[in-house]
Amino acid sequence: MKLFTAVSVLSTLLLPSSTAWTTTMPSAASPRRTTALSAVPPPMIIGPMIKKMREEQEKKKLPMADLDEKAKEAPGLRVGANIWKWPVIWPYDESIFKSAGEATAMEQQKAVSSLTTMLSGMPQVPKEEDLEKAKEMAFDPLQYWSQTDEPSSVMDEDGIAKLQAHFAFYMRDGMSVLELGAGANSYFPSDLKLSRHVGVGANEADMKRNPSLTDTLVVDLNKVVKERDVDSDDLRLLAKEPFDMIVMTCTVDYLTNPREVFRSAWYLIKPGGSMIVTFVGKDGVKDKFTEARTRIWQQYNDDQHMWMTGSFFHFSAGDGWENLRGFDISPENAAEMNAGPLQKLLKPNKANNVYVVQATKGFQDDCIDFENLERSLQSLLWMLPVMEDRDKKLVVPRLTRALETADDKETLKASIERNIEHLPAIYEVLAKMDKFSFTFSMQSQLAADLICDPAFNGNDQQMLALREGLGLRMPQEDFWKPVGMDTSAIEIEDKISLLSYIVPRFGSNDPAQDEALKAFVTGLKPTYAILRSKCPSWKEFEVQLVGAELLATEILTPGGSSREEYAKWLDCLTAADLQEMLDARKGLRKAALEDMTEFQAAREKERQRIAELRQKMEDQVATARRERSMVFNPRTEKMEIFVNPESEKKN
């Protein structure tokens, strides 16, 4: 009866208006009810629609991976390593990672506060007893999980068997394994003999019943240090003996800070080791556990969940995670991925879908490798917090180019290796410039210039000078304010260069350096006056550009010229000498711009070449799929090419 009703409603909605069922309602002149059909609906309205839906579903189920990948990986490969696409910055709002329990508690607190404000007519300062009550109402993951020993998912025997087979494909005897979100059962192959199996979970009693675990650790994975890792010294200590593999089964959908958890995992695993993250379908979590599941996992579908899990890998360590793959290992009797209400009605399979997303930890360079410069620099940036992937991709080419063109490569290499850890602090300041006309490219130029300077060490005075020089703090009356006014005509790219040279001179604790800074700021106007008298045809920005850079070069660094020596030298320069300096400065800037443009064009050309090669391979795979298929030969126990006889006849 339900199916008949659904079909009738859909038929009515889908028929065009010219062929729709029409009903003549009784009127005053004709009280008798009569029903007429203006046209008979065409047959098979629902059938073609279902067929189309099934075809679309089959397209979605096609693995986005080539045959070579499928042959090397476990069954069920759905998304290959080269398919994933990401936005340039972390795409999620923090609110969607609130658990249902936490969101409810927050809404209750807000409602109480709003009611108090409404009754009193003014905002209330929270009382101590109100704060204590808020703490009691807050969602406590450790307390929540310690009160139950039931499995949180509805994964049945078929789903467990699929998961065990997947683990068996990648696990080997003698491996050390860390399990995040461990419980009473790890679902590992029964004959697997691990050297070490550490369980990290919220329910100690639950983990004690797990016969596979050799050690246990109670940790709240949702308690983190933002932009860093899970806030647990006990967990950090495990990095002294990193693991061959990390497993997270039916846990990722309860993480309120997934990026930090995945960062912790990267630190805890050996280079070349794999992290395997398993989750069940959207409908595969028991009702009582939905309180702990985050909003994003309750609202999005399984396709999106797979992409999201992959993004947690990507945005935690970037290219530090390699060979990212997604699997659909659902049993044959599982419901179709993301099936709609009608499909569920017509084919009520079990909600025991199982999915896996996994990746391998890359090898990070300890120092800059000139043989593979760009990749080496990128690896040094993998785990730097605050910096978005976009910023890393912009700053690396500048550092690469600086090293390639440096006269003293070893000195510059030492500066970068020492200072690269200060990039997050620099970008924490530069991020505030997003609202101004200070482009991401300009930010990367300033950041790269700073860490290339041997005098830069990221101390508090230098970071304060950076803020004041950018106008993010009230400028010093005796330095940044006059410098800003006396360099106002210089173009912004040249100001960045000057700023990157001035900032590292702060915080030296050297009286001679402090004196040099004073000499610089007081020497700008006299220098400009001399240049204007010698080169009256110069524009103001040319006067300020040459004057500021001459003064910075000769005066700003201790051990350079004294004020008297500088004044005598400047007085001896002719207009021709100064014009030559200006032309050389403009030429250097033009050459640098051309070099960077050429460098970026070469990089883009290489990207296009790789993209074309990849497309060619995908076309070849598509042809192979039409004409051939891979089958398992039980006699040789290998995957072999099966030639379609029909395609052979055509050829």
Side-chain angles (χ1 to χ4, degrees):
M1 184 66 184
K2 290 181 180 178
L3 177 60
F4 175 76
T5 304
V7 170
S8 300
V9 172
L10 282 169
S11 299
T12 305
L13 293 173
L14 292 171
L15 283 172
S17 58
S18 59
T19 58
W21 295 79
T22 58
T23 303
T24 305
M25 301 299 293
S27 63
S30 177
R32 186 176 61 183
R33 183 185 300 270
T34 60
T35 303
L37 295 178
S38 60
V40 178
M44 299 300 291
I45 292 296
I46 300 300
M49 183 183 70
I50 293 176
K51 182 180 179 182
K52 183 178 180 181
M53 289 170 63
R54 284 176 177 166
E55 288 174 351
E56 291 297 322
Q57 196 66 31
E58 287 302 315
K59 288 180 183 177
K60 290 181 181 179
K61 289 174 65 179
L62 284 175
M64 293 179 285
D66 59 41
L67 295 176
D68 288 339
E69 281 186 294
K70 290 179 64 181
K72 295 175 184 176
E73 304 292 345
L77 182 64
R78 179 174 172 78
V79 185
N82 296 320
I83 300 299
W84 308 89
K85 303 292 183 187
W86 315 112
V88 293
I89 60 173
W90 176 249
Y92 307 109
D93 183 80
E94 191 174 342
S95 63
I96 62 176
F97 290 111
K98 301 291 184 187
S99 65
E102 185 180 4
T104 301
M106 290 175 64
E107 288 166 3
Q108 290 174 343
Q109 292 175 36
K110 187 176 180 181
V112 171
S113 176
S114 298
L115 180 61
T116 306
T117 300
M118 182 179 68
L119 293 174
S120 64
M122 60 183 297
Q124 298 294 304
V125 177
K127 299 178 181 178
E128 187 173 342
E129 54 266 29
D130 294 333
L131 295 174
E132 290 298 322
K133 187 176 181 181
K135 289 181 182 178
E136 293 176 7
M137 295 168 62
F139 182 75
D140 186 341
L142 284 180
Q143 182 182 11
Y144 177 86
W145 290 108
S146 64
Q147 292 175 346
T148 179
D149 57 3
E150 295 181 37
S152 58
S153 74
V154 295
M155 192 161 48
D156 59 8
E157 292 182 359
D158 295 327
I160 292 172
K162 287 283 190 178
L163 182 55
Q164 287 177 328
H166 188 85
F167 283 145
F169 192 93
Y170 295 101
M171 288 181 165
R172 298 291 179 269
D173 289 343
M175 294 179 75
S176 59
V177 176
L178 175 65
E179 184 173 359
L180 299 177
N185 196 329
S186 297
Y187 307 117
F188 292 172
S190 57
D191 59 345
L192 184 67
K193 296 179 177 59
L194 300 174
S195 64
R196 187 183 179 208
H197 180 190
V198 178
V200 176
N203 189 325
E204 187 172 15
D206 210 15
M207 290 189 288
K208 291 295 184 185
R209 290 196 297 273
N210 189 329
S212 177
L213 296 176
T214 58
D215 297 285
T216 61
L217 197 62
V218 176
V219 174
D220 181 1
L221 294 177
N222 287 337
K223 183 185 178 185
V224 304
V225 178
K226 278 293 185 182
E227 298 286 351
R228 246 185 60 188
D229 60 356
V230 176
D231 190 10
S232 168
D233 289 334
D234 292 334
L235 189 63
R236 295 183 187 112
L237 284 174
L238 294 178
K240 291 183 178 180
E241 296 181 58
F243 295 84
D244 296 309
M245 178 176 287
I246 292 180
V247 171
M248 188 190 297
T249 302
C250 298
T251 298
V252 66
D253 40 339
Y254 301 104
L255 299 179
T256 56
N257 298 280
R259 184 157 51 164
E260 284 77 5
V261 175
F262 279 63
R263 286 175 64 86
S264 283
W266 193 90
Y267 283 118
L268 294 167
I269 198 171
K270 295 177 182 177
S274 294
M275 180 176 177
I276 298 179
V277 180
T278 304
F279 61 92
V280 297
K282 183 179 180 181
D283 301 324
V285 173
K286 291 186 177 180
D287 290 340
K288 68 169 292 184
F289 293 97
T290 55
E291 183 182 0
R293 211 179 197 195
T294 57
R295 287 178 169 180
I296 195 170
W297 284 85
Q298 295 183 30
Q299 296 171 359
Y300 288 23
N301 62 38
D302 294 339
D303 262 334
Q304 292 167 321
H305 291 158
M306 183 172 288
W307 184 89
M308 283 160 38
T309 306
S311 74
F312 299 158
F313 278 101
H314 174 75
F315 286 106
S316 63
D319 293 335
W321 291 112
E322 300 174 343
N323 199 19
L324 182 64
R325 292 142 290 164
F327 297 81
D328 181 352
I329 59 171
S330 303
E332 286 71 17
N333 62 354
E336 298 287 348
M337 177 186 266
N338 307 322
L342 181 60
Q343 289 171 295
K344 291 179 180 179
L345 182 65
L346 297 174
K347 190 180 178 182
N349 288 8
K350 293 183 178 181
N352 59 351
N353 304 72
V354 185
Y355 307 102
V356 176
V357 180
Q358 62 192 64
T360 304
K361 178 178 177 177
F363 290 81
Q364 188 176 32
D365 292 345
D366 295 326
C367 60
I368 296 173
D369 177 13
F370 282 99
E371 295 297 321
N372 196 348
L373 193 53
E374 188 168 355
R375 189 264 176 202
S376 179
L377 286 167
Q378 286 174 340
S379 78
L380 295 177
L381 301 181
W382 283 345
M383 298 306 291
L384 292 182
V386 177
M387 288 186 68
E388 296 288 359
D389 188 55
R390 168 202 64 209
D391 300 321
K392 293 176 183 179
K393 288 180 177 176
L394 285 172
V395 79
V396 165
R398 293 189 178 278
L399 295 175
T400 303
R401 192 61 180 163
L403 279 165
E404 287 180 343
T405 57
D407 294 328
D408 188 352
K409 289 182 169 54
E410 289 301 323
T411 299
L412 182 56
K413 173 187 172 184
S415 294
I416 293 174
E417 288 176 344
R418 184 181 64 254
N419 290 331
I420 203 162
E421 66 177 348
H422 300 305
L423 272 176
I426 294 171
Y427 267 96
E428 195 170 357
V429 175
L430 295 179
K432 297 179 176 64
M433 299 297 293
D434 288 354
K435 56 187 175 182
F436 304 109
S437 299
F438 201 77
T439 65
F440 300 131
S441 179
M442 293 175 184
Q443 293 178 25
S444 67
Q445 177 189 332
L446 179 53
D449 288 346
L450 285 173
I451 68 169
C452 285
D453 193 314
F456 183 77
N457 57 25
N459 62 53
D460 291 343
Q461 288 177 278
Q462 289 177 351
M463 300 312 296
L464 177 60
L466 179 60
R467 291 185 178 90
E468 291 181 351
L470 289 170
L472 297 172
R473 289 283 297 269
M474 185 67 69
Q476 296 177 25
E477 289 288 336
D478 59 347
F479 187 85
W480 287 110
K481 188 173 182 180
V483 167
M485 294 176 64
D486 292 340
T487 59
S488 59
I490 298 177
E491 294 183 19
I492 189 166
E493 289 83 0
D494 296 314
K495 278 188 177 181
I496 292 171
S497 178
L498 184 61
L499 182 64
S500 67
Y501 190 72
I502 296 174
V503 167
R505 313 303 147 200
F506 283 83
S508 66
N509 295 320
D510 181 357
Q513 178 65 85
D514 295 338
E515 189 61 32
L517 286 168
K518 292 178 183 177
F520 174 79
V521 71
T522 57
L524 285 171
K525 286 183 177 178
T527 299
Y528 294 163
I530 293 174
L531 295 185
R532 291 189 191 104
S533 66
K534 290 178 178 287
C535 304
S537 63
W538 277 13
K539 297 177 181 177
E540 184 59 23
F541 85 87
E542 294 173 327
V543 170
Q544 292 187 10
L545 173 62
V546 174
E549 292 196 350
L550 284 178
L551 192 60
T553 303
E554 295 297 321
I555 292 289
L556 201 51
T557 304
S561 304
S562 65
R563 297 189 190 194
E564 294 75 15
E565 291 171 336
Y566 171 73
K568 289 178 181 179
W569 172 72
L570 188 61
D571 190 53
C572 291
L573 293 176
T574 65
D577 294 331
L578 292 170
Q579 186 63 48
E580 186 177 350
M581 290 179 183
L582 177 62
D583 293 341
R585 178 61 182 81
K586 289 182 176 179
L588 283 173
R589 181 180 174 188
K590 182 180 179 182
L593 182 60
E594 289 175 351
D595 283 348
M596 181 57 73
T597 303
E598 183 181 344
F599 180 70
Q600 291 174 338
R603 281 164 49 87
E604 184 60 31
K605 186 177 180 180
E606 179 63 13
R607 286 197 191 99
Q608 290 178 358
R609 187 189 70 79
I610 293 172
E612 290 171 0
L613 181 61
R614 185 177 297 156
Q615 185 61 50
K616 185 177 179 180
M617 291 173 62
E618 290 175 359
D619 292 342
Q620 290 173 347
V621 169
T623 302
R625 283 182 180 149
R626 288 195 301 269
E627 300 178 356
R628 302 167 177 232
S629 61
M630 297 292 290
V631 297
F632 181 77
N633 188 333
R635 290 178 298 174
T636 62
E637 297 186 346
K638 294 180 180 179
M639 296 294 291
E640 297 179 358
I641 293 177
F642 170 75
V643 181
N644 188 333
E646 294 300 320
S647 64
E648 288 291 307
K649 289 178 183 179
K650 292 177 182 177
N651 294 333

